[in-house]
């Protein structure tokens, strides 16, 4: 094995020598000198050190920006805290003002109720004083001939004319207040508030007013009612007399319709006197209907409309148009009828009843405001008024309704 290794080395040495002999002569070859330029001669510094310096500077600038950002955040947090405190103070201040406002409103309401009671007390005392003055005046003129008031004489003239012309074919054109409205619209209740007594019968939706009822209001020492063809005086402060009066009105209504008719042109005339009552003549007409029900004369609907048109055609009549506020305005029949008789609204007064029920039932209370501003109906009027007609209890007195 040692001989083999020696042989191999010798062979390699011989081969190396042979190749060396075959190489060209390099003594005549000149290698040009190349100037040595290094990065150190251009930069004069270590590139890693400069990169480190730039990174350090960038980090320092970033830290500076972060510090400024933190400062801005702190300033904003301070401002937010100040704003929060200011808002909290404003909220507390507003809460105090709100409580103060509620307290003031409550005091105002109490004051209004107090003064309202004082006004009612004064009105009652005023009526009593009027009654005493009228009684003294009557006692002073007891020996003299009794003179009728102008309103009573005027009412008698109307009665005489209606007696000569019960069908009202010839209009007399004398002034009066004509009360029209849809059936069950509350027009009778409005009349009773004017007369300060519940003088008309009620039928819970049934037609009760079957003939024109002329009511002459005038001032007197006692609150009484009397039919023109009767000497009996009904004491309107007595519930028994009131019930008998309503029964008498109902009987006269039924007696006025004959030969299968549902409504009549015959006028039922009565006078109502009392302390503080305004002097006027009112005519309550049957309510306008849209459908003739079973048991009614087929001509009832047209008869009622013709009757209302006849009375409203008087150019000197004041039309008191009563609209039920608790039902949809589109269901009203009376507004179109009144508008056709008084297009300019120069002698029409519009009254919206049952407003308390309307506010409860309507999902859009703006409709009530539109009605009372004359923007919902096509009709025009001199004035628009809203009233509460009570709780619908027929046994409630005028005072009960006032308190309600």
């Amino acid at each position: 094995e040692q001989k083999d290794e020696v042989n191999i080395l010798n062979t390699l040495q011989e081969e190396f020598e042979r190749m060396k002999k075959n190489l060209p002569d390099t003594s005549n070859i000149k290698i040009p000198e190349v100037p040595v330029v290094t990065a150190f001669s251009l930069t004069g510094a270590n590139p890693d050190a400069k990169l480190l310096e730039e990174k350090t500077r960038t980090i320092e600038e970033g830290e500076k920006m972060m510090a400024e950002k933190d400062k801005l955040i702190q300033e904003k947090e301070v401002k937010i805290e100040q704003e929060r405190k200011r808002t909290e103070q404003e909220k507390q201040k507003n809460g105090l003002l709100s409580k103060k406002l509620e307290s003031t409103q409550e005091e105002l309401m109490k004051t209004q109720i107090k003064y309202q009671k004082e006004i009612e007390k004064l009105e009652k005392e005023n009526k009593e004083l009027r009654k005493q003055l009228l009684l003294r005046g009557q006692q002073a003129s007891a020996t003299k001939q009794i003179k009728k008031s102008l309103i009573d004489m005027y009412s008698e003239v109307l009665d005489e004319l209606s007696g000569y012309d019960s069908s009202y074919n010839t209009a007399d054109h004398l002034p009066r207040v004509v009360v029209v409205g849809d059936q069950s619209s509350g027009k009778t209740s409005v009349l009773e508030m004017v007369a300060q007594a519940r003088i008309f019968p009620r039928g819970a939706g049934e037609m009760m007013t079957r003939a024109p009822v002329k009511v002459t209001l005038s001032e007197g020492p006692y609150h009484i009612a009397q039919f023109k063809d009767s000497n009996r005086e009904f004491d309107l402060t007595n519930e028994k007399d009131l019930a008998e009066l309503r029964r008498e009105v109902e009987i006269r209504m039924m007696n006025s319709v004959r030969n299968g008719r549902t409504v009549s042109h015959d006028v039922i005339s009565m006078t109502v006197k009392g302390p503080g009552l305004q002097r006027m003549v009112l005519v309550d007409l049957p309510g306008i209907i849209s459908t003739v029900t079973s048991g009614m004369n087929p001509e009832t609907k047209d008869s009622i409309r013709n009757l209302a048109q006849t009375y409203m055609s008087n150019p000197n009549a004041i039309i008191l148009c009563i609209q039920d506020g608790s039902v949809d305005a589109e269901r009203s029949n009376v507004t179109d009828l009144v508008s056709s008789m008084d297009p300019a609204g120069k002698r029409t007064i519009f009254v919206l009843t049952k407003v308390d029920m309307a506010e409860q039932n309507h999902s859009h209370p703006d409709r009530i405001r539109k009605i009372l501003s004359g923007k919902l109906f096509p009709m025009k009027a001199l004035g628009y008024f809203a009233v509460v007609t009570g709780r619908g209890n027929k046994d409630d007195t005028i005072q009960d309704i006032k308190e309600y």
Side-chain angles (χ1 to χ4, degrees):
E1 292 179 356
Q2 292 178 350
K3 289 179 180 181
D4 292 338
E5 290 178 356
V6 170
N7 293 333
I8 292 169
L9 289 173
N10 292 333
T11 303
L12 289 173
Q13 184 66 32
E14 292 174 359
E15 183 67 22
F16 178 76
E17 289 295 332
R18 186 184 60 81
M19 291 177 65
K20 184 176 179 182
K21 289 178 181 180
N22 291 332
L23 287 174
D25 187 8
T26 59
S27 58
N28 297 324
I29 298 173
K30 292 183 180 181
I31 298 172
E33 295 182 0
V34 178
V36 178
V37 180
T38 64
F40 297 104
S41 63
L42 294 175
T43 59
N46 190 341
D48 292 338
K50 184 170 179 67
L51 182 62
L52 181 62
E53 183 181 352
E54 289 179 354
K55 286 185 177 181
T56 303
R57 187 165 57 250
T58 303
I59 291 171
E60 291 175 352
E61 289 177 354
E63 289 177 348
K64 185 178 180 182
M65 290 176 65
M66 290 292 293
E68 291 178 354
K69 187 176 180 181
D70 290 340
K71 184 178 179 182
L72 289 173
I73 291 173
Q74 290 177 357
E75 290 177 354
K76 284 185 178 180
E77 287 178 349
V78 171
K79 288 182 179 180
I80 290 172
E81 182 65 20
Q82 291 175 349
E83 187 67 21
R84 188 188 66 78
K85 290 182 179 179
R86 190 183 68 81
T87 304
E88 188 67 26
Q89 290 175 353
E90 288 291 331
K91 188 177 179 181
Q92 292 178 355
K93 185 178 179 181
N94 291 337
L96 293 173
L97 289 174
S98 179
K99 289 181 180 179
K100 188 174 180 180
L101 178 61
E102 289 177 0
S103 176
T104 305
Q105 288 176 338
E106 187 176 350
E107 289 294 327
L108 179 62
M109 183 63 70
K110 289 180 180 179
T111 305
Q112 286 179 335
I113 293 172
K114 178 182 176 182
Y115 281 116
Q116 183 64 32
K117 289 181 178 179
E118 289 294 327
I119 289 171
E120 290 177 357
K121 181 180 177 181
L122 290 173
E123 285 179 347
K124 195 174 289 185
E125 291 176 355
N126 185 35
K127 283 185 179 180
E128 188 62 29
L129 287 172
R130 282 175 175 271
K131 179 179 177 180
Q132 292 177 8
L133 288 172
L134 289 168
L135 285 172
R136 287 180 184 177
Q138 285 185 351
Q139 292 172 358
S141 60
T143 57
K144 298 180 182 179
Q145 185 180 1
I146 299 176
K147 294 183 179 180
K148 294 181 180 179
S149 65
L150 288 175
I151 192 70
D152 289 331
M153 289 189 286
Y154 177 70
S155 178
E156 287 182 359
V157 170
L158 295 179
D159 289 336
E160 290 295 327
L161 289 171
S162 64
Y164 283 114
D165 184 19
S166 61
S167 64
Y168 207 88
N169 290 327
T170 306
D172 52 53
H173 289 183
L174 292 175
R176 71 205 77 188
V177 179
V178 178
V179 186
V180 293
D182 295 325
Q183 184 179 336
S184 301
S185 61
K187 61 185 180 62
T188 298
S189 298
V190 173
L191 275 179
E192 288 180 332
M193 290 303 295
V194 176
Q196 291 296 294
R198 308 206 69 174
I199 58 179
F200 293 106
R202 274 158 181 75
E206 180 186 353
M207 178 184 289
M208 296 304 297
T209 306
R210 297 176 178 269
V213 181
K214 181 173 71 67
V215 182
T216 303
L217 301 178
S218 62
E219 193 172 34
Y222 302 106
H223 202 185
I224 58 173
Q226 183 179 3
F227 292 100
K228 74 163 187 174
D229 55 357
S230 172
N231 292 325
R232 178 181 176 181
E233 293 182 345
F234 295 88
D235 183 2
L236 300 182
T237 61
N238 185 293
E239 285 299 323
K240 181 181 177 182
D241 276 21
L242 270 172
E244 291 178 357
L245 174 63
R246 290 193 290 265
R247 179 59 183 164
E248 181 66 22
V249 172
E250 189 174 356
I251 291 172
R252 289 172 179 260
M253 288 278 188
M254 299 307 297
N255 290 338
S256 67
V257 290
R258 305 181 189 91
N259 302 322
R261 293 181 301 170
T262 307
V263 294
S264 170
H265 287 75
D266 297 339
V267 180
I268 299 173
S269 181
M270 72 166 69
T271 60
V272 176
K273 296 182 180 181
L277 289 184
Q278 300 296 322
R279 296 176 176 86
M280 68 179 77
V281 177
L282 304 120
V283 181
D284 184 22
L285 298 175
I288 307 297
I289 61 174
S290 56
T291 304
V292 177
T293 58
S294 60
M296 285 186 179
N297 187 297
E299 299 178 355
T300 300
K301 176 181 174 181
D302 294 333
S303 297
I304 294 174
R305 292 180 70 90
N306 291 338
L307 183 65
Q309 286 175 334
T310 301
Y311 274 88
M312 288 190 293
S313 63
N314 177 0
N316 296 315
I318 298 173
I319 302 172
L320 191 61
C321 178
I322 310 297
Q323 166 65 32
D324 187 347
S326 65
V327 299
D328 294 334
E330 290 78 9
R331 292 168 56 188
S332 173
N333 297 299
V334 69
T335 50
D336 289 340
L337 183 61
V338 172
S339 181
S340 66
M341 302 305 297
D342 182 28
K346 292 183 178 180
R347 51 190 181 90
T348 299
I349 296 174
F350 181 86
V351 178
L352 186 68
T353 61
K354 308 178 186 179
V355 178
D356 49 338
M357 295 175 62
E359 290 177 341
Q360 295 172 5
N361 298 340
H362 286 177
S363 57
H364 301 289
D366 287 341
R367 287 171 66 86
I368 300 175
R369 286 190 284 270
K370 286 183 180 179
I371 292 173
L372 296 176
S373 61
K375 295 179 180 179
L376 190 63
F377 292 117
M379 64 168 289
K380 297 180 181 179
L382 287 172
Y384 299 83
F385 300 89
V387 297
V388 175
T389 49
R391 294 168 292 189
N393 187 351
K394 65 180 182 180
D395 296 325
D396 283 351
T397 64
I398 296 296
Q399 188 59 36
D400 291 334
I401 298 173
K402 279 186 174 181
E403 290 175 358
Y404 169 72

